[in-house]
Amino acid sequence: MASVAGRAAPRSERARLDEAVAQGLYDRMRMVAPAAFGAIGRDRADDPARPFADTACGRLADSLDAAGLRALGMWAHHWCMRFYDDDTRVGLRLVREIADRPGLGWTVDEVRWMLGESEAAGPSAAHRFTLPRAAATGLPPAGRREFAADVLSGAGSRERG
């Protein structure tokens, strides 16, 4: 990744995902999608004040290993970015809960993909940087450099006119 005077490269210069890598991410998300969609649907009809661990989404999240939880987070992030105008409170809660879990072993490619989804969603999706920012902070220092200027600094969270 090219940088200027030690700063992270601008978004326009961010490395693109290899097609095979992107397909692998989609394949992993497809594995958790049916369970995630069902859990979100059940939680929409349930008590929103229920502790997360007692919800369908919480039970699903607790049943997954780190790789499965990352896939669930990426799927929920994608779902919330695409349907931001729908009732996504349950999905956003799931994204926030996953964002709050340290040590999931996020990869640069996963963060890069989520950030691309966030940028494509535009400013209407107010919480679009929640998970990519949390995931980027968990990367090793070399991996964080790519995202330092716009995500980790908070610049990516500012709504653009």
Side-chain angles (χ1 to χ4, degrees):
M1 174 74 347
S3 65
V4 178
R7 293 187 333 227
R11 278 176 236 166
S12 61
E13 295 178 23
R14 186 176 296 122
R16 297 179 50 84
L17 282 178
D18 176 85
E19 285 184 42
V21 170
Q23 187 60 51
L25 297 177
Y26 284 115
D27 290 346
R28 287 181 34 228
M29 287 186 282
R30 271 192 216 95
M31 297 296 292
V32 298
F37 189 76
I40 286 173
R42 286 188 299 281
D43 286 351
R44 279 178 150 179
D46 204 356
D47 176 10
R50 180 177 285 217
F52 182 73
D54 295 338
T55 65
C57 287
R59 288 187 300 275
L60 174 60
D62 288 343
S63 74
L64 299 170
D65 63 7
L69 197 52
R70 290 192 322 267
L72 176 62
M74 291 172 61
W75 181 87
H77 173 78
H78 174 75
W79 186 79
C80 289
M81 295 306 98
R82 294 295 175 230
F83 302 105
Y84 61 86
D85 58 342
D86 195 1
D87 180 9
T88 59
R89 288 174 291 172
V90 171
L92 289 172
R93 182 179 187 189
L94 177 58
V95 166
R96 283 190 307 271
E97 290 287 339
I98 293 170
D100 286 344
R101 295 185 184 204
L104 292 179
W106 292 99
T107 69
V108 170
D109 288 332
E110 291 167 340
V111 174
R112 192 178 293 135
W113 180 84
M114 287 188 294
L115 187 56
E117 290 286 300
S118 299
E119 291 167 348
S124 297
H127 303 285
R128 68 189 189 276
F129 292 103
T130 300
L131 193 55
R133 181 179 297 119
T137 62
L139 293 172
R144 283 194 300 258
R145 282 188 209 109
E146 179 177 343
F147 309 105
D150 53 357
V151 178
L152 296 174
S153 70
S157 66
R158 285 189 214 106
E159 298 301 336
R160 294 174 220 145

